[in-house]
Each structure stands twice: as structure tokens, then as C-alpha cells.
């Protein structure tokens, strides 16, 4: 039981830290490589928090996955300045995240 409490607490902590890093990255020099890297790090932290929380298929899980997808899209759009490549990569990464969350 203690392991589940730790996983839940760590998941909440990771979501809070990931959201703070994402917001800081977006509002700190919007549109630069540094901002995009901070948003990508925040998105990875959000993904780790989502994995530890074990949220079933509910609206909250899909909202966090959407935020992660937007963060990944932002990073790859700033990196290569191509909308379609960034969109395809973001969709593939969010689909892999959803597959991993369903089959763990």
C-alpha cells in the first residue's frame, strides 16, 4: 500500500513540476530554441507524472496528453519550422504514450 501512495504522491508532484516548467518555458523567450527545450522537458516530466498516477481513461488523462502533445509539437515546430513534420511527430509520440498507458 505504501508503494501506491508513493506513486500517487510522486505523480502529483511530477505533474505540478511539469506544469511549472512548461509555463516557464512558454513565457520565457517565446519562440526561441531555449524556450522550446524547456517546454519539451516539461512535457516529459508531465508524461512521467501521468504514468505514475495510473489515471483510467478519463477526461483528466486526455487533457494532460493534449498538453504533452502541444509541448512536443511546439518543440519540433521551433526546431525545424515545418508544421506537418511537427504535427506527425507529436501525434506519434502521444499515440505511443497512450498505448503504453493502456498496456502497462
Amino acid at each position: 500500500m505504501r508503494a501506491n501512495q508513493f506513486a500517487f504522491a510522486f505523480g502529483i508532484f511530477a505533474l505540478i513540476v511539469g506544469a511549472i516548467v512548461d509555463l516557464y518555458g512558454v513565457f520565457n523567450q517565446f519562440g526561441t530554441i531555449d524556450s522550446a527545450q524547456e517546454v519539451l522537458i516539461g512535457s516529459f516530466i508531465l508524461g512521467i507524472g501521468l504514468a505514475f498516477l495510473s489515471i483510467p481513461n478519463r477526461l483528466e488523462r486526455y487533457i494532460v496528453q493534449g498538453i504533452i502533445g502541444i509541448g512536443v509539437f511546439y518543440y519540433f515546430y521551433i526546431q525545424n519550422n515545418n508544421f506537418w513534420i511537427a504535427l506527425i511527430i507529436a501525434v506519434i509520440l502521444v499515440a505511443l504514450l497512450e498505448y503504453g498507458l493502456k498496456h502497462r
Side-chain angles (χ1 to χ4, degrees):
M1 186 66 177
R2 288 190 180 268
N4 291 341
Q5 290 175 347
F6 172 76
F8 183 77
F10 183 76
I12 294 293
F13 175 73
L15 286 180
I16 292 170
V17 170
I20 290 170
V21 171
D22 265 349
L23 290 174
Y24 178 75
V26 167
F27 293 120
N28 184 27
Q29 301 173 349
F30 182 77
T32 63
I33 297 294
D34 292 334
S35 171
Q37 288 173 346
E38 290 172 5
V39 168
L40 184 67
I41 290 169
S43 295
F44 284 155
I45 294 171
L46 281 172
I48 291 168
L50 190 62
F52 272 91
L53 274 181
S54 301
I55 298 175
N57 293 339
R58 294 195 325 218
L59 184 62
E60 295 87 5
R61 181 167 130 183
Y62 296 130
I63 289 172
V64 173
Q65 285 179 348
I67 293 169
I68 292 169
I70 291 170
V72 170
F73 172 79
Y74 175 71
Y75 173 75
F76 284 104
Y77 182 72
I78 297 297
Q79 277 292 96
N80 60 21
N81 207 17
N82 189 332
F83 178 81
W84 294 108
I85 291 174
L87 184 65
I88 290 170
I89 291 172
V91 167
I92 288 171
L93 287 177
V94 170
L96 284 172
L97 177 65
E98 176 64 23
Y99 179 80
L101 289 173
K102 278 188 178 180
H103 297 289
R104 62 185 151 96

